């Protein structure tokens, strides 16, 4: 995977990986800017992505003086993929990040998350607020803990074909289909300028895995996409999907946790993203600023320069 990463972009040399033992597992970690030790920033990817999704941000953050640490989180790439579903609960995923800080000798860091990575960063700020300096999250706003567990709530609202619900109610079904159609699934998923149409019957991600004709335009080159395909040939999709299968358990875990995040935060939305913007974000993250970019869900890959500008401007304004 690392060799492909280095070959896939001529202008950007992606860091080589190191295997690090933390929290009872092994994490594949990509590190840049060691000369900037003392200013850590940790980047957390989403599903179905990996550390490579931050390829455009890493060199710019290093130039801005940051020690950049980018793990393939558990279930991804060469990192450990435990077989137990419960091994992917937020207590373990946030515990990995805390242990990563300890490994590098840091008390706290600034965290940037995208998609599911954003959810883990929000959760880290709830469970271990002392470990978080500042927060920058992309695509996924803070998920309010309602009166019903999340999957139960989503099933009532969106029905059984919602992929969150499907992953939980039909364990193993989507995993097998995605594993059988890795290249086709990822190629169909990472698209932009997709025409707005009525959703087809069935589960969205299974449909993407089976669809032979891609809509819209590719977000990345074939060589970039090959990095993702290679990574999931190593890990499979089950580990990443298991993050979803802990949502209700996470809901129970957060029952007695103060839901207010007081850290300085930046929320970056894509105006064309299917994930809706939060209508009450400041109720739970009072010190948040919001930026919206003209793109879809894969913000930092679709609009890397605009994303970098927004991140670096905000970091400079909040430099302590």
């Amino acid at each position: 995977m690392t060799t492909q990463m280095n070959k896939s972009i001529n202008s950007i040399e992606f860091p080589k990986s190191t295997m690090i033992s933390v929290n009872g597992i092994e994490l594949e970690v990509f590190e840049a800017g060691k000369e900037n030790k003392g200013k850590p920033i940790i980047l957390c990817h989403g599903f179905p992505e990996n550390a490579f999704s931050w390829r455009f941000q890493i060199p710019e953050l290093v130039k801005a003086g940051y020690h950049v640490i980018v793990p393939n989180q558990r279930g991804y790439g060469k990192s450990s993929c435990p077989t137990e579903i419960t091994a992917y609960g937020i207590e373990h995923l946030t515990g990995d990040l805390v242990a990563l800080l300890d490994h590098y000798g840091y008390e706290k860091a600034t965290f940037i998350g995208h998609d599911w990575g954003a959810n883990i960063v929000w959760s880290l700020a709830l469970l271990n607020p002392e470990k978080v300096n500042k927060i920058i999250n992309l695509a996924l706003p803070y998920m309010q803990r309602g009166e019903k567990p999340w999957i139960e709530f989503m099933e009532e609202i969106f029905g059984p074909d919602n992929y969150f619900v499907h992953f939980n109610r039909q364990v193993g079904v989507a995993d097998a289909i995605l594993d059988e159609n890795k290249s086709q699934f990822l190629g169909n998923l990472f698209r932009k300028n997709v025409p707005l149409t009525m959703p087809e019957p069935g589960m969205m991600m299974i449909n993407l895995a089976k669809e032979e004709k891609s809509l819209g335009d590719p977000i990345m080159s074939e060589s970039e996409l090959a990095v993702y395909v290679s990574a999931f040939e190593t890990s499979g999709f089950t580990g990443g999907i298991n993050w979803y299968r802990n949502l209700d358990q996470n809901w129970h875990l957060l029952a007695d946790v103060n839901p207010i995040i007081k850290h300085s935060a930046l929320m970056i939305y894509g105006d064309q993203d299917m994930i809706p913007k939060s209508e009450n974000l400041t109720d739970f993250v009072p010190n948040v600023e919001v930026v919206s970019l003209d793109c879809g869900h894969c913000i930092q890959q679709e609009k890397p320069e605009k994303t970098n500008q927004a991140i670096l401007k905000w970091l400079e304004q909040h430099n302590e």
Side-chain angles (χ1 to χ4, degrees):
M1 176 176 162
T2 305
T3 302
Q4 278 190 300
M5 282 187 173
N6 289 334
K7 287 181 178 178
S8 62
I9 297 184
N10 293 328
S11 59
I12 295 177
E13 183 180 348
F14 202 84
K16 293 182 178 180
S17 67
T18 302
M19 299 303 298
I20 296 175
S21 297
V22 292
N23 200 26
I25 62 164
E26 296 277 314
L27 285 184
E28 182 182 19
V29 180
F30 302 84
E31 182 186 3
K34 292 180 182 179
E35 67 274 17
N36 300 324
K37 188 165 180 63
K39 287 189 70 176
I41 196 161
I42 298 180
L43 314 185
C44 303
H45 64 79
F47 174 87
E49 297 178 318
N50 54 53
F52 189 63
S53 64
W54 298 109
R55 61 197 176 279
F56 299 113
Q57 285 67 53
I58 293 170
E60 297 305 312
L61 288 167
V62 170
K63 287 179 189 174
Y66 289 92
H67 180 195
V68 186
I69 301 164
V70 196
N72 270 341
Q73 296 174 89
R74 66 166 67 195
Y76 290 86
K78 295 177 183 174
S79 294
S80 296
C81 299
T83 56
E84 303 84 2
I85 290 176
T86 54
Y88 298 86
I90 55 169
E91 73 274 27
H92 300 298
L93 293 166
T94 58
D96 293 347
L97 298 179
V98 171
L100 200 56
L101 284 177
D102 292 342
H103 172 82
Y104 284 102
Y106 289 125
E107 290 293 322
K108 60 172 63 176
T110 293
F111 287 86
I112 305 182
H114 172 251
D115 182 76
W116 256 109
N119 180 264
I120 301 308
V121 172
W122 294 127
S123 300
L124 179 65
L126 292 174
L127 296 173
N128 298 96
E130 75 284 356
K131 296 297 183 180
V132 179
N133 183 8
K134 294 184 280 285
I135 295 168
I136 300 174
N137 275 334
L138 285 67
L140 189 70
Y142 179 94
M143 287 175 60
Q144 177 181 348
R145 185 185 183 277
E147 294 181 359
K148 294 182 179 180
W150 279 302
I151 298 302
E152 181 183 337
F153 172 77
M154 290 179 184
E155 190 168 24
E156 288 182 5
I157 301 297
F158 302 115
D161 284 338
N162 173 268
Y163 64 93
F164 279 68
V165 177
H166 190 286
F167 284 155
N168 279 271
R169 302 298 187 235
Q170 300 188 48
V171 175
V173 174
D175 318 34
I177 295 171
L178 267 55
D179 279 337
E180 290 169 9
N181 301 277
K182 294 179 183 72
S183 184
Q184 190 164 274
F185 168 60
L186 294 167
N188 286 334
L189 180 68
F190 290 114
R191 313 288 291 184
K192 59 184 177 181
N193 304 321
V194 176
L196 290 174
T197 57
M198 289 294 292
E200 296 180 0
M203 200 270 254
M204 179 188 76
M205 292 200 182
I206 291 178
N207 291 344
L208 287 171
K210 292 182 174 181
E211 180 58 57
E212 294 182 3
K213 184 179 179 182
S214 300
L215 298 177
D217 304 310
I219 288 172
M220 60 188 84
S221 68
E222 289 185 11
S223 59
E224 290 172 311
L225 184 62
V227 174
Y228 284 87
V229 175
S230 174
F232 284 103
E233 284 173 350
T234 298
S235 66
F237 287 95
T238 297
I241 291 174
N242 281 343
W243 291 32
Y244 293 85
R245 294 183 175 132
N246 279 275
L247 266 172
D248 283 357
Q249 184 58 37
N250 296 344
W251 182 88
H252 288 289
L253 182 70
L254 293 170
D256 298 320
V257 176
N258 182 348
I260 307 301
I261 293 175
K262 296 181 180 179
H263 304 77
S264 296
L266 174 66
M267 179 69 218
I268 303 178
Y269 291 112
D271 282 334
Q272 300 166 35
D273 196 348
M274 292 192 334
I275 296 177
K277 299 177 182 179
S278 172
E279 296 180 354
N280 62 344
L281 183 60
T282 54
D283 291 347
F284 294 93
V285 193
N287 298 313
V288 68
E289 296 176 33
V290 174
V291 170
S292 295
L293 301 180
D294 183 21
C295 61
H297 181 69
C298 300
I299 297 169
Q300 76 272 33
Q301 298 182 88
E302 289 186 50
K303 295 286 185 181
E305 291 183 3
K306 295 283 188 184
T307 302
N308 291 347
Q309 288 170 6
I311 289 173
L312 294 173
K313 180 181 177 181
W314 186 84
L315 285 172
E316 185 176 353
Q317 290 172 344
H318 292 79
N319 192 23
E320 292 147 8

